[in-house]
Amino acid sequence: MITLDDVHKSFGSNDVLRGVNLHVAKGTSMVIIGGSGTGKSVAIKSILGLVTPDSGTITVDGTDVTKADRDAFLARFGMLFQGGALFDSLPVWQNVSFRLLRGSLAKPKEEARAIAVEKLRRVGLTADVADRLPAELSGGMQKRVGLARAIAADPEIIFFDEPTTGLDPIMAGVINDLIREIVTEMGATTMTITHDMSSVRTIADHVAMLHAGKIRWTGPVAEMDSAGDPYVDQFIHGRAEGPIEAVR
């Protein structure tokens, strides 16, 4: 479904992506791990066409992302943002149905609200939450609203950017389980960026380690612990000593 072939991207003298090669099969869950500043977010933005690579190609379902019709292309994606990115001035149901009220997917308000309520129910929130404002919700509830919005239009591909950031371990576990259940039900192709190894083990079918702008290792999550790569080993066990230098 998603292929990155020798993708390079620099910002001035900062070489962020240095020949990334990655393949994500249709209907599978790929999790990208790696330290801050290694290029994970730039890779995601490049797939979405928000950043144009300097060289290399990126295809989604066989189509070069730089040549795709933007509206139709982006309509295939859902996104759960790291900080929630909910609109403070809109009630929860309008946040969830934001895409459904606009553009080519526009639906009548009543239908859009009904879909929003159903998606909220799917992530464990009751119908009375629909008319609240985001500020009235806890961090965990806001994350669930963000997840409901990501799946509202039944996308083929979903990106999760640090889905458990800012959550306590119990709520993080709840969100991880929800993501796994929902993507399995939908049959969606997913890519997740995370530092949370519990998320990796719950969500991933395959894992890719991105370091210094290149994929160091990729393989099934079941083989991650025995990968034999010192970068992967240091990262997944959180060791201070190893080839990855901690910024002091």
Side-chain angles (χ1 to χ4, degrees):
M1 179 61 87
I2 301 172
T3 299
L4 287 80
D5 185 13
D6 195 27
V7 174
H8 291 253
K9 181 61 184 178
S10 299
F11 297 94
S13 60
N14 183 18
D15 299 326
V16 180
L17 302 181
R18 306 176 184 181
V20 172
N21 293 287
L22 186 65
H23 304 275
V24 184
K26 185 175 182 178
T28 62
S29 174
M30 171 65 76
V31 176
I32 302 177
I33 60 174
S36 298
T38 56
K40 300 185 302 297
S41 294
V42 173
I44 292 287
K45 290 176 181 177
S46 297
I47 295 168
L48 289 169
L50 302 177
V51 168
T52 302
D54 298 326
S55 62
T57 58
I58 302 175
T59 59
V60 172
D61 202 14
T63 300
D64 188 324
V65 300
T66 63
K67 300 175 182 176
D69 175 84
R70 297 308 299 159
D71 288 343
F73 177 73
L74 291 175
R76 305 178 71 177
F77 292 83
M79 180 87 187
L80 175 62
F81 297 93
Q82 179 176 343
L86 301 179
F87 298 102
D88 295 340
S89 60
L90 297 180
V92 163
W93 79 266
Q94 288 189 29
N95 269 280
V96 173
S97 61
F98 189 82
R99 174 183 287 179
L100 302 179
L101 294 168
R102 291 161 180 81
S104 60
L105 294 174
K107 299 180 181 295
K109 271 194 172 184
E110 295 78 9
E111 184 179 350
R113 180 187 169 87
I115 293 172
V117 170
E118 170 56 26
K119 298 302 183 183
L120 288 168
R121 183 204 61 77
R122 181 60 195 85
V123 299
L125 296 174
T126 54
D128 65 288
V129 173
D131 293 309
R132 298 187 196 177
L133 291 172
E136 301 177 82
L137 306 180
S138 67
M141 293 174 75
Q142 288 186 25
K143 191 71 76 170
R144 292 184 190 219
V145 172
L147 179 55
R149 179 175 61 185
I151 64 173
D154 297 322
E156 300 172 61
I157 305 166
I158 310 175
F159 288 160
F160 300 103
D161 186 0
E162 298 287 357
T164 58
T165 293
L167 301 179
D168 65 70
I170 294 174
M171 183 51 65
V174 170
I175 294 298
N176 286 333
D177 288 342
L178 270 174
I179 290 173
R180 181 80 254 186
E181 291 171 11
I182 288 170
V183 298
T184 300
E185 287 175 10
M186 295 177 65
T189 303
T190 66
M191 289 185 69
T192 303
I193 295 171
T194 186
H195 298 97
D196 183 352
M197 294 312 301
S198 64
S199 290
V200 176
R201 298 181 192 281
T202 302
I203 297 171
D205 294 320
H206 292 80
V207 179
M209 170 80 182
L210 184 61
H211 178 74
K214 292 187 176 183
I215 299 295
R216 289 284 318 183
W217 177 85
T218 185
V221 65
E223 298 177 8
M224 179 175 64
D225 291 294
S226 58
D229 183 277
Y231 291 84
V232 175
D233 184 68
Q234 181 186 356
F235 187 87
I236 67 176
H237 293 104
R239 298 191 179 112
E241 300 299 323
I244 303 173
E245 295 184 6
V247 178
R248 303 182 187 279

